[in-house]
Amino acid sequence: MQPTELIPQCFRQGAERMARAFGELDQVIVAAHVNPDGDAAGAVAAACHVLRSMGKEIMAYAQPGLPGYLDFFPMPVVVHTTLEHPPFTPRCALLLDCGEPDRLGRELAARLPGLVTVNIDHHLGSDGMGSAANWVEPRAAATAQLMAYVALAAGLPLTGDLATAVALGIITDTGGFCHGNTSADVLYLTAHMVEHGCDIALLRERLENTWSRGRLTLWGQLLQRARLERGGSVCFCPVYLEDLRKCGALKEDLEGFVEQLRRLRGVHVAAVLREDSPGSCKFSLRSYGSVDVRAAAARLGGGGHRNAAGGTVRSPMDAASVHLLDAIAAELDEEGVA
Ligand code: 5GP
Ligand code: MN
């Protein structure tokens, strides 16, 4: 099979259009959403590989930097956490895995009007905020999957660090090939990369088996605290700043925790509400099947995907808990979920 045959028919035109759009960019800031996860980091890394192969001047930007659990990950460029002293005068920005300017980080959001922008994303409800070109594909499991197709359309082989970047994004956003978005296309693409030397098992091990003692303690305490709401259809856990301090854990140590709450029999929606500051809380929602937590998150100004969504409630913890549980209950009522 020719590598370009790996690009599904429905994504081919978009991938070719993006490869051409990349050709028009230079002095590019490559960025994804704030608090980047594996898909954000993987998509940024893959994009940097592609742009670099085209001889472009590039820099990566992420707020507040990559999480510690990705220290092992081979980023092809330095990740800048501020735009105060860029290595060149940015003219363009490539915006990845992010549906809204607000989630790009304050400095980049403020600079957007002066930049030529291209936007590649897979979030439902994303408008496409690129001024020059947009490719928004909610059918894609990960933005890194779309980046793989752009790389193929640009003539790059999916090997080495580029393949690792794509695999990182796919593993993250499919929950290790388990979520409903694990399409045949995702598996074909991954099989191709494995065939050409990408070590998926090693990547997963580096992602999974790196817990700190603080993280283990935190999860233990929070599992005790999680409680059932709405007759058992919702499992909810609040997390206070004090919890992190006491356990010696970081915010990023909560990554993956909400998925544990969804495992409980009878639970349709798992919800974690994390205190960010005394007047602001970040929530993470998970569901499975047809239960739409993106719609619940949207009631509070958040977003995401049908089975994984999040947002921020600007209230202290007690009030935020009530708002969040009300929004989930209203959504479940509307969807007719018992
Ligand atoms: P997480 O719960 O892991 O932070 O995020 C789950 C999903 O919801 C991701 O796709 C993420 O992009 C999206 N998401 C998380 N927080 C926000 C937010 O504040 N606004 C929007 N629009 N999406 C969010
Ligand atoms: Mn993503």
Side-chain angles (χ1 to χ4, degrees), residues 34-194:
V34 290
N35 301 315
D37 59 5
D39 188 31
V44 166
C48 288
H49 285 294
V50 176
L51 288 168
R52 203 163 59 180
S53 80
M54 295 174 164
K56 310 292 186 177
E57 223 174 348
I58 52 173
M59 65 175 285
Y61 167 75
Q63 258 298 319
L66 297 190
Y69 68 84
L70 291 179
D71 281 351
F72 76 91
F73 174 64
M75 271 308 283
V77 294
V78 173
V79 177
H80 293 254
T81 55
T82 168
L83 295 176
E84 263 171 37
H85 305 290
F88 51 81
T89 304
R91 201 170 57 77
C92 305
L94 176 56
L95 314 173
L96 300 160
D97 201 38
C98 186
E100 299 146 39
D102 281 358
R103 300 196 72 229
L104 288 168
R106 192 179 39 77
E107 286 170 288
L108 181 53
R111 277 188 183 228
L112 277 192
L115 297 168
V116 174
T117 52
V118 171
N119 180 202
I120 302 180
D121 187 23
H122 70 133
H123 287 89
L124 192 67
S126 165
D127 291 338
M129 54 183 160
S131 62
N134 290 289
W135 193 26
V136 180
E137 282 289 1
R139 287 172 296 184
T143 302
Q145 179 192 357
L146 295 174
M147 270 313 310
Y149 299 145
V150 178
L152 289 169
L156 260 65
L158 289 181
T159 54
D161 288 351
L162 170 58
T164 305
V166 171
L168 171 66
I170 288 177
I171 288 175
T172 303
D173 274 17
T174 61
F177 307 104
C178 286
H179 297 338
N181 57 4
T182 312
S183 61
D185 290 333
V186 164
L187 295 171
Y188 290 135
L189 177 63
T190 309
H192 171 85
M193 296 192 297
V194 169

Side-chain angles (χ1 to χ4, degrees), residues 33 37 97 100 103 122-123 173 255 258-259 282-286 301-305 308-312:
H33 60 78
D37 59 5
D97 201 38
E100 299 146 39
R103 300 196 72 229
H122 70 133
H123 287 89
D173 274 17
E255 186 82 28
V258 65
E259 277 83 5
K282 159 98 179 77
F283 64 85
S284 283
L285 304 178
R286 298 292 185 271
H305 308 278
T312 298

